[in-house]
Amino acid sequence: MNTDKKEAKMELRGENEIVFTRYFNAPVSLVFDCHTKPELMRKGLIGPEGMVLETCEHDLRVGGKYLYLYMDEKGNKSGVYGTFKEVIVPEKVSNTENYIMDFSIFDRDAPEDQNATVESRTFTKEGSFTLMTHVYTYPSAEVRKFMIECGAADGMSECYLELDKLLISIA
């Protein structure tokens, strides 16, 4: 896949997948760390519309759980939680992704939705760049359509620009 070095590309695959690809001008291990180490995730992985990653808890191992809560300047929160399905340092991370829609009823100990989205990020060295391939597998074509209509591609591009800034500062 030919990808502009600073542009996130979005490709629809099958009925229920979205594949984002993006190059980063940094080593694979550093890009992987920015997606897996809480202290780096808080600096480089912003949420929608400028939200910050307020809570970043995870046990990065197969079967380990995670909870990521984003908050905006008004205190509004959104979040995701799930379980790691595959962890190959520094090449790949795969996990379920459940969306927290209502914090008043959120129970972090409740069983996960069996129809949760599955996401995976693969990090590949290409010359002096790292190609990240980020695949979302949604439970249905309808959920994928909803995510596209909500502006998933724009949000990813904005997040990656912040990640570029972080990589420059720590490389």
Side-chain angles (χ1 to χ4, degrees):
M1 182 176 289
N2 187 9
T3 303
D4 226 0
K5 296 295 187 216
K6 291 289 184 185
E7 184 180 339
K9 298 285 186 179
M10 182 177 84
E11 173 188 338
L12 303 182
R13 187 188 305 164
E15 297 270 325
N16 63 334
E17 286 188 346
I18 298 177
V19 180
F20 291 99
T21 53
R22 174 65 149 71
Y23 284 93
F24 294 94
N25 191 10
V28 167
S29 59
L30 190 54
V31 179
F32 182 88
D33 286 351
C34 286
H35 284 85
T36 58
K37 291 189 174 182
E39 66 275 11
L40 295 174
M41 292 171 68
R42 282 189 183 91
K43 294 176 183 176
L45 298 179
I46 63 167
E49 299 175 13
M51 294 182 118
V52 296
L53 185 55
E54 177 202 46
T55 301
C56 182
E57 300 171 359
H58 69 231
D59 180 7
L60 187 64
R61 64 178 174 83
V62 173
K65 305 284 185 188
Y66 74 91
L67 172 65
Y68 305 146
L69 299 178
Y70 292 89
M71 185 171 65
D72 69 13
E73 64 279 350
K74 295 179 183 175
N76 299 313
K77 293 184 180 184
S78 66
V80 293
Y81 66 99
T83 303
F84 291 105
K85 299 172 69 64
E86 186 175 14
V87 178
I88 305 170
V89 178
E91 300 167 12
K92 185 174 185 180
V93 175
S94 176
N95 53 271
T96 58
E97 185 171 82
N98 299 270
Y99 307 100
I100 303 169
M101 305 307 269
D102 184 349
F103 278 93
S104 67
I105 60 170
F106 173 61
D107 176 4
R108 71 186 307 164
D109 297 320
E112 281 189 61
D113 181 353
Q114 294 301 310
N115 295 313
T117 295
V118 174
E119 70 171 330
S120 68
R121 288 167 305 284
T122 304
F123 306 90
T124 309
K125 179 178 174 35
E126 289 197 11
S128 63
F129 291 89
T130 295
L131 172 63
M132 183 179 71
T133 305
H134 194 161
V135 179
Y136 284 92
T137 305
Y138 296 100
S140 68
E142 293 77 25
V143 173
R144 178 179 81 171
K145 181 180 180 212
F146 173 77
M147 295 305 289
I148 292 169
E149 290 171 353
C150 288
D154 294 336
M156 294 298 262
S157 293
E158 186 178 338
C159 180
Y160 295 151
L161 291 174
E162 288 299 313
L163 185 52
D164 281 335
K165 292 176 192 174
L166 175 61
L167 288 165
I168 288 168
S169 74
I170 61 176

